[in-house]
Amino acid sequence: GAVVSQHPSWVICKSGTSVKIECRSLDFQATTMFWYRQFPKQSLMLMATSNEGSKATYEQGVEKDKFLINHASLTLSTLTVTSAHPEDSSFYICSARSETGTSYEQYFGPGTRLTVT
Amino acid sequence: GQNIDQPTEMTATEGAIVQINCTYQTSGFNGLFWYQQHAGEAPTFLSYNVLDGLEEKGRFSSFLSRSKGYSYLLLKELQMKDSASYLCAVVDSNYQLIWGAGTKLIIKP
């Protein structure tokens, strides 16, 4: 159980275009989802916390108008990178937290590798 | 501020034992996770400790001392596939995960 999927797994786009990444919890309901970014050889960096039905909470330094997050249901959150630039090229990972347990474990999606040319 | 410290890189030999340490200073504590992350992949869950002591799970064990703000991950009978980054993460008083920078473990034959 506790499977999280991400789509697409990799994407190449041109500078100035927008890209949408989907994160789905397949077999549980996730009140809270998290979006991370990871540059090569660096640790995970939390971008934002997404709660179903409310606005996302962004970490300091993350532009909310550039990284649009929508958590419309208990099983789906989307991250849209608007007006992408080459410096946005990174590995984007989502995770979902099940509220039914007590361990607060986050279940990770497989990640999306974004390359902006 | 909140801080998680773990070594940047460690090297060990196939078949040996390695201990990866993690020290933390956080606002509150609601448990500590260890995750494994292979290059280019998302992290996968290894262990969760919320009480003091040692939790053993096959070749991997995790230890916690809350009074010392300290945990370690012990890997036995190392295999080449254990080459990965190992991430320590603490659940703080707001139930958010605070991540360490990760320890890159290199296994040599």
Side-chain angles (χ1 to χ4, degrees):
Chain A
V3 177
V4 176
S5 70
Q6 257 183 265
H7 178 80
S9 55
W10 62 270
V11 58
I12 301 173
C13 70
K14 292 185 177 181
S15 186
T17 61
S18 296
V19 175
K20 179 185 283 189
I21 303 170
E22 292 187 350
C23 177
R24 294 181 184 272
S25 57
L26 298 184
D27 52 1
F28 68 101
Q29 293 185 328
T31 308
T32 306
M33 288 186 172
F34 304 86
W35 286 97
Y36 294 86
R37 181 167 54 183
Q38 186 174 36
F39 293 105
K41 299 184 180 181
Q42 296 186 24
S43 187
L44 295 171
M45 187 195 82
L46 179 66
M47 299 176 66
T49 302
S50 166
N51 291 293
E52 185 264 340
S54 62
K55 292 183 179 180
T57 302
Y58 290 82
E59 295 300 301
Q60 192 173 6
V62 178
E63 301 175 57
K64 62 180 181 181
D65 294 330
K66 179 173 180 61
F67 299 99
L68 302 178
I69 292 173
N70 183 279
H71 193 159
S73 75
L74 286 172
T75 58
L76 173 65
S77 176
T78 60
L79 168 68
T80 301
V81 182
T82 62
S83 187
H85 290 285
E87 55 264 32
D88 297 325
S89 298
S90 186
F91 192 43
Y92 292 85
I93 309 172
C94 75
S95 69
R97 185 169 69 195
S98 170
E99 303 294 331
T100 58
T102 57
S103 68
Y104 306 103
E105 179 180 349
Q106 292 183 21
Y107 302 96
F108 285 88
T112 297
R113 188 161 301 284
L114 170 64
T115 302
V116 184
T117 60
Chain B
Q2 310 209 86
N3 195 46
I4 311 282
D5 285 318
Q6 48 181 133
T8 303
E9 187 174 295
M10 299 181 70
T11 302
T13 305
E14 189 177 15
I17 299 173
V18 70
Q19 178 175 310
I20 303 174
N21 296 325
C22 171
T23 57
Y24 61 88
Q25 294 172 314
T26 57
S27 57
F29 180 83
N30 284 296
L32 184 146
F33 288 96
W34 283 98
Y35 283 87
Q36 180 191 61
Q37 185 179 24
H38 284 99
E41 299 180 11
T44 56
F45 170 82
L46 288 179
S47 67
Y48 172 72
N49 294 68
V50 66
L51 300 176
D52 290 348
L54 185 68
E55 297 272 348
E56 297 186 74
K57 190 185 297 184
R59 293 189 299 115
F60 292 7
S61 302
S62 57
F63 171 84
L64 174 68
S65 169
R66 289 172 296 173
S67 62
K68 295 181 180 179
Y70 167 70
S71 172
Y72 68 73
L73 180 69
L74 190 71
L75 293 77
K76 303 177 183 177
E77 302 170 16
L78 286 170
Q79 302 175 9
M80 297 303 294
K81 67 178 182 180
D82 297 330
S83 292
S85 287
Y86 292 85
L87 307 174
C88 172
V90 172
V91 185
D92 70 5
S93 56
N94 293 319
Y95 302 104
Q96 301 299 322
L97 270 182
I98 310 300
W99 292 90
T103 298
K104 182 179 180 181
L105 178 62
I106 300 169
I107 309 297
K108 295 184 176 180

